Amino acid sequence: MDIAMIGLGRMGANMAERLHRGGHRVIGVDPGDAARASAAERGFEVSASVAEALAKLSVPRVVWLMVPAGEVVDQTLASLSPHLSEGDVVIDGGNSYYKDSMRRAAQLLEEGVTYLDCGTSGGVWGLQEGYSLMIGGDAAASERVGAIFRALAPAEDRGWAHVGPSGAGHFCKMVHNGIEYGMMQAYAEGFALMQRKTEFELDLGQVAAAWQHGSVVRSWLLDLSADALNRNPQLDGIAPFVPDSGEGRWTVAEAIDLDVSAPVITLSLLERLRSREKNSFSDRMLSALRNQFGGHAMVKE
């Protein structure tokens, strides 16, 4: 198939290359000179202009958005809109909020354009391993462009699914990332506990490697943990600051709206927020309170 890939960052460029390797014609679009030059070296066509890229594709066209969630998606759609025709399919493979995806699908439907929200997981390893794809929107349109999903997935018959109507794909990806928060937090706490048990002089990389085979906690995240610990056993030079990209917050908010108890995901999000407090007021307040009611000593700076 022919497809325009808008956004040639780490994920977009790798996905474009995987599609190109799979025999699809890809035109990569990015305003950055460096991004376009790097993409051109990978062997597929590039363009600085959305209009130029779409003009090269025959109608009906397929356009994949791999841009940051939020306002950038709306801005990109605004630039696309004058060049889209009835029957075109726009796929948002970023981490958009699912309610935004429902709104965008309704807006584009008025122009005869189908909008598919595709939750995409795989990170920088996706080029090699394939991507997990959760697709929401019109089922017929999803099937019509199914060759694209099959090329991006780990295999033609697994790793991708049309999961429901508009918004369902990004909703599933939101929950997926919330689960990821909890799993990462559990691994981090467990390895921190073993690291603190200094009398055993544990080799954490060795323990992680043992868990990779036969253990009920084995996973790809554990594989990555083992690799990180073997490369840098004490994690030297890494600041204790953990960002979040939004999906964890949305998952927690949705759990509250639906009256679903999700304490692990919620606390893992709060731990990320806590990691950013260089001089925690709450911890200083706790120390002051212990001193006030019990006369406990306070550690001075």
Side-chain angles (χ1 to χ4, degrees):
M1 300 188 71
D2 292 356
I3 182 170
M5 177 69 72
I6 301 180
L8 298 175
R10 286 174 297 180
M11 285 278 285
N14 282 350
M15 294 172 75
E17 181 174 345
R18 187 171 174 89
L19 287 169
H20 177 68
R21 290 180 183 179
H24 300 281
R25 180 193 179 200
V26 182
I27 303 177
V29 184
D30 198 285
D33 294 339
R36 292 197 308 277
S38 176
E41 291 176 359
R42 298 183 182 214
F44 52 88
E45 300 174 62
V46 295
S47 174
S49 162
V50 167
E52 178 185 81
L54 266 61
K56 295 180 179 180
L57 301 178
S58 57
V59 178
R61 294 159 296 193
V62 182
V63 181
W64 190 297
L65 307 184
M66 213 63 201
V67 299
E71 187 177 346
V72 177
V73 177
D74 289 315
Q75 292 171 347
T76 304
L77 288 174
S79 68
L80 271 175
S81 187
H83 309 288
L84 294 174
S85 304
E86 186 172 349
D88 289 348
V89 176
V90 176
I91 306 169
D92 180 2
N95 284 327
S96 291
Y97 183 42
Y98 80 95
K99 291 184 179 180
D100 288 338
S101 297
M102 295 170 69
R103 168 179 57 81
R104 291 163 184 151
Q107 290 173 343
L108 286 179
L109 185 60
E110 295 177 358
E111 304 172 20
V113 176
T114 299
Y115 185 88
L116 300 177
D117 52 287
C118 181
T120 306
S121 180
V124 296
W125 292 85
L127 174 60
Q128 174 184 333
E129 303 290 338
Y131 299 88
S132 173
L133 307 171
M134 299 142 266
I135 305 139
D138 182 75
S142 174
E143 180 58 32
R144 179 156 60 88
V145 299
I148 292 172
F149 301 133
R150 289 190 288 271
L152 288 171
E156 290 194 359
D157 60 347
R158 62 180 185 270
W160 71 281
H162 177 264
V163 296
S166 294
H170 280 150
F171 181 85
C172 289
K173 179 55 164 51
M174 176 190 75
V175 176
H176 165 283
N177 283 24
I179 294 170
E180 179 185 293
Y181 276 41
M183 292 175 66
M184 292 173 67
Q185 185 67 32
Y187 280 127
E189 291 176 7
F191 282 109
L193 185 60
M194 290 187 288
Q195 192 267 345
R196 185 64 63 88
K197 193 67 172 176
T198 56
E199 66 199 74
F200 287 162
E201 299 182 347
L202 296 171
D203 180 337
L204 301 187
Q206 180 192 50
V207 174
W211 288 357
Q212 285 179 280
H213 305 281
S215 165
V216 296
V217 300
R218 65 187 183 274
S219 73
W220 185 48
L221 286 175
L222 178 62
D223 295 342
L224 297 177
S225 300
D227 183 64
L229 290 166
N230 282 314
R231 290 173 183 269
N232 187 357
Q234 297 302 317
L235 304 181
D236 295 326
I238 300 176
F241 182 100
V242 188
D244 74 282
S245 53
E247 296 89 344
R249 299 181 186 222
W250 299 338
T251 305
V252 170
E254 197 70 26
I256 294 170
D257 287 344
L258 296 175
D259 291 330
V260 173
S261 176
V264 172
I265 295 174
T266 301
L267 287 174
S268 66
L269 171 64
L270 295 180
E271 281 298 303
R272 292 196 180 198
L273 300 181
R274 181 182 176 81
S275 77
R276 302 166 207 175
E277 297 184 31
K278 293 182 179 180
N279 187 14
S280 170
F281 182 85
S282 59
D283 286 347
R284 287 183 284 138
M285 187 69 189
L286 285 171
S287 181
L289 286 171
R290 291 183 76 250
N291 176 259
Q292 289 289 325
F293 72 72
H296 301 290
M298 290 188 294
V299 178
K300 302 290 187 178
E301 290 184 329

